[in-house]
Amino acid sequence: MIAADDRLHLTPICHGGDLRPATLQDAAQLYAWRMDPETRRQSFQQGAIPEDTHRQWLEATLANPAIHVFIAEMWMMQGADGPQILVPFGMGRLDVHSPRQADISYIVAPDCRGQGLASRLISLLAARAGGLGYHQLRARVKAGNIASLRALQSAHFTISETIVEMAK
């Protein structure tokens, strides 16, 4: 776990960012983000996953034409006067359900949270989805995940349904 004092101090130097298709070379980074305690707490599947199981899942997912996994990247400046570096700041995913509909899911990298990047990631993902022909997007978020709900609303999503699930 990264302590607050150990977080990277990064400043976005552009308003965009971009998505690139994830590859197997991203497996370790994606695994680290997925196993972050806060990510797990907000996930619908909170259990620990062995790294080899995650890699097998990623391999199968990347081969599935109905699922698109992206890495969100942005040029940022490290510190006040530091160098410009290309930083992967999250993962976005589209799960296609019909020729026009897809579910989105996303993770913001733990050391990039609290900087407004979730709504940027969601907007990038929505734009990519539209470019692929998916104009009806849906996101499932836990009711208590206020940060994610706000990020979705900032990216022009509306809350259309609330589902309460019983804890197991």
Side-chain angles (χ1 to χ4, degrees):
M1 184 162 93
I2 297 173
D5 293 338
D6 294 336
R7 292 177 56 171
L8 293 176
H9 297 285
L10 299 170
T11 304
I13 58 173
C14 68
H15 295 290
D18 200 6
L19 298 176
R20 66 166 173 80
T23 69
L24 280 178
Q25 286 72 37
D26 297 308
Q29 182 70 76
L30 290 169
Y31 181 73
W33 291 345
R34 174 61 180 88
M35 296 312 298
D36 169 70
E38 181 61 16
T39 300
R40 287 177 57 195
R41 191 171 76 76
Q42 298 300 345
S43 177
F44 288 99
Q45 297 179 0
Q46 297 180 341
I49 302 166
E51 191 165 4
D52 61 327
T53 301
H54 185 267
R55 186 173 179 82
Q56 290 169 4
W57 167 85
L58 181 60
E59 260 184 84
T61 299
L62 294 176
N64 186 337
I67 301 174
H68 305 274
V69 181
F70 302 100
I71 301 297
E73 298 177 319
M74 179 181 300
W75 285 99
M76 297 188 185
M77 188 170 0
Q78 192 169 9
D81 299 336
Q84 295 178 12
I85 55 175
L86 186 62
V87 176
F89 70 90
M91 178 278 303
R93 180 172 143 185
L94 297 171
D95 288 23
V96 177
H97 293 289
S98 74
R100 294 184 48 83
Q101 182 188 33
D103 285 353
I104 69 165
S105 56
Y106 51 91
I107 296 173
V108 174
D111 56 348
C112 293
R113 291 184 185 141
Q115 301 179 51
L117 295 176
S119 59
R120 188 171 297 187
L121 193 158
I122 295 164
S123 294
L124 288 168
L125 193 56
R128 181 62 61 96
L132 294 170
Y134 309 116
H135 300 287
Q136 297 172 345
L137 302 178
R138 187 175 57 179
R140 288 183 59 217
V141 179
K142 286 184 169 183
N145 190 345
I146 303 303
S148 193
L149 290 169
R150 285 186 181 145
L152 284 159
Q153 288 173 319
S154 290
H156 307 290
F157 279 69
T158 57
I159 298 171
S160 62
E161 179 179 12
T162 301
I163 299 171
V164 178
E165 295 184 0
M166 181 183 290
K168 294 179 183 177

